[in-house]
Amino acid sequence: MRKIPLLLILIFFSFDPLAISQTLIDNSSSPNKLRVFIDGCERRDGGCDMDFIRTEITAVDFYRDNQLADVFVLINDNRSGGGGRQYQLIFIGQQNIHAGRTDTLYVNNKQTDTDFEVREKLTRFIKLGLAPYVAKTQAGEGVIIDMKADSGFLENNEQEMFDPWNFWVFNIGSDANIELEELSRDTNFGADFNVNRITDNWKINISGRVNERFRTTVRKEPRVDENGDPVLDDNGNQIIDEVESDFDVSEFGFGHQLVKSISPQWSYGYDLDGRQNTRFNYKFQVSFRPAIEYNFFPESEQNSRFLRVNYGIEVRNNRYVEETIYGAVQETRTLQSLRVSLGLTQRWGNLQVGYRLRSYLDDFSFWTTGLNISAEVRVTGNFSFFVRAEGNYVKDQIYLASGDFSEQDILSGRVTLPSAYTIDTRFGLNFRFGSNLNNFVNQRFFGRANFVGND
C-alpha cells in the first residue's frame, strides 16, 4: 500500500512546470497576427488588386501557401444585370480557433465604377469579413473600426431603386489591328455593340459584330519566258518577281436572346442569330433556337457552382457564297441540340466543363459532338496546374464549298477544309518554394512596355 502514494508523488514531480504553464498560456493567449490566404484576384480584372489589398490591410500576414493560413478567403465574381460586377467573398476558417467557421459577403459594383472605386469597396468588405478573426489576435488591439456610415448612403440607395434607364445597358466599341511582315500584310477592322436588360425574372440581350480582314501576301517567283526558260539580268542572274495576292475575309453577325425565369432552377427562352462568314462559305445565315434550361443549383449559388442542362430546337436558313459539296446554294435545315455546362469555384481551384451534342432532324447522319474543359487545380499549397482543352468530332460540315482552291486560298484562311475533328489544347504547371510571407509591395520598374514580338 505504501508503494502507491510514493508512485503518485514521483509522477507529480516528473511533470515539467514550465511545460504546464506554457500549455496554459498557449490555450489562453491570442496569436500575434492572423495568417490569411486570398485566392481569386489573379483571375480578375483591375478591381481586384492584391497589391492594394496588402497595402491597405496590414493587421494580418498574407501567405502564399493556403495550407498554412488560418483563414482562406475565396473571391468569386459574376456579371450583374446592370453591366457591373458582383464579388462573392467566402471566409473559411482553417486552423486553431477559426477551424470550421465560414462567412460569406457580397460586394455589388455599378457599371460606371472605375477600377479604383471597385478595389476600394472590395478591400473595405475584405476588412469587414476579416474583422471577427483579427479581433482574436494581439494585432486586433491596435485596429480602429469606424462604424459610421456615409451620410448619403441611404439617400443613394433610394435613388438607385428608381432607375431612369429601366435596367437597360448599352455598349458600343470598335477596334483595329495592323500587322506588317516582309511577305505579308494584315489589316483588321472591327466594331460591335451590345444592349441588354437583366433582372431576376428576365434576360434580354441584343448584340452585333462587324469584322473585315484584308490580307496581302507576296510570293517571290523566278521569271521565265514563253518557253519556260529563265530570264536573266545584265549580271547573268535569274530575275525574281514579287507577285502580290489580295484576300478579303469579311464577317458580320447579330444576336438576340430572350430568357424568362420560371423558378430558381427552370427557365426558357430563345436565341435569334444571323451572320455572314465567307471563310465558312456563308453569304448569310439566320437561325432561331427556342430552348428550355434546368440548373441543378439555385441562381443564388452561381458564383460558386452551377450545373445547367439546355435543350433546344433550331431552324437555320443558309445562303452560301459558293455551291456546297452537296449541291446547295440556299437551304433551310432543322437541328436539335443538347448543351451541358458545369462550373465550380472552390478552395482547391476552379473548373468549367461544357458538353454539346447537335444533329440535323431530317438526316441524323449529320451530327457533331464536343467537349471543352478549363481547370486550374491547386494540388498542394505550392504546386498547381492548369489545363484548357476542347475537342469536337465533326460530321455536319454541310457548308463546305465545292471546287478546287489554290494554296493561297487555304493559307490565307479564306476557305475551310474538310475535317473529321478539331482539337485545341493548352496546359501548364507552376511550382513555387521559399518564403510563404506575401506582405510586401514593390512596384519599382513596373510598367515597362511589353512588345508583341521578341523583347
Side-chain angles (χ1 to χ4, degrees), residues 10-214:
L10 291 175
I11 293 174
F12 176 79
F13 282 104
S14 66
F15 284 111
D16 185 357
L18 293 177
I20 296 175
S21 62
Q22 185 65 43
T23 301
L24 293 175
I25 292 174
D26 289 342
N27 289 335
S28 61
S29 64
S30 302
N32 290 328
K33 273 191 173 183
L34 185 74
R35 295 175 296 183
V36 177
F37 176 84
I38 295 183
D39 182 32
C41 271
E42 69 277 3
R43 304 190 303 270
R44 310 305 172 194
D45 57 17
C48 191
D49 186 341
M50 272 304 302
D51 288 343
F52 184 80
I53 293 171
R54 289 197 298 264
T55 303
E56 293 296 309
I57 304 177
T58 58
V60 306
D61 282 335
F62 292 97
Y63 272 64
R64 290 189 173 94
D65 189 341
N66 65 297
Q67 295 179 342
L68 298 178
D70 298 318
V71 178
F72 187 117
V73 182
L74 179 62
I75 302 178
N76 303 322
D77 74 336
N78 193 52
R79 287 290 180 185
S80 59
R85 187 178 294 274
Q86 181 191 75
Y87 289 93
Q88 180 192 47
L89 310 180
I90 304 176
F91 300 83
I92 305 168
Q94 296 190 139
Q95 300 188 53
N96 304 323
I97 59 176
H98 308 296
R101 175 171 181 169
T102 302
D103 299 313
T104 303
L105 296 177
Y106 291 91
V107 185
N108 294 297
N109 296 285
K110 295 178 291 185
Q111 180 195 23
T112 55
D113 288 345
T114 64
D115 283 349
F116 179 85
E117 293 171 320
V118 173
R119 73 179 187 177
E120 192 277 335
K121 187 175 183 180
L122 178 63
T123 304
R124 178 155 45 86
F125 271 76
I126 293 176
K127 291 178 182 179
L128 291 172
L130 290 176
Y133 302 92
V134 175
K136 298 181 179 180
T137 66
Q138 294 182 17
E141 298 177 3
V143 174
I144 300 175
I145 300 177
D146 184 0
M147 296 296 289
K148 296 179 180 179
D150 186 354
S151 59
F153 176 76
L154 296 177
E155 180 181 351
N156 290 337
N157 270 2
E158 292 177 358
Q159 291 177 356
E160 288 180 4
M161 296 180 62
F162 302 97
D163 186 359
W165 292 94
N166 195 24
F167 305 109
W168 286 99
V169 179
F170 302 84
N171 294 278
I172 300 175
S174 63
D175 57 85
N177 172 252
I178 299 176
E179 295 182 15
L180 301 176
E181 297 182 8
E182 181 182 3
L183 300 179
S184 66
R185 296 188 300 272
D186 275 290
T187 304
N188 293 274
F189 298 98
D192 59 82
F193 73 91
N194 183 275
V195 180
N196 68 72
R197 183 181 188 271
I198 301 176
T199 64
D200 290 336
N201 295 321
W202 290 94
K203 180 179 180 181
I204 306 172
N205 182 272
I206 303 171
S207 61
R209 171 73 183 174
V210 177
N211 192 75
E212 198 75 22
R213 177 189 176 197
F214 301 98

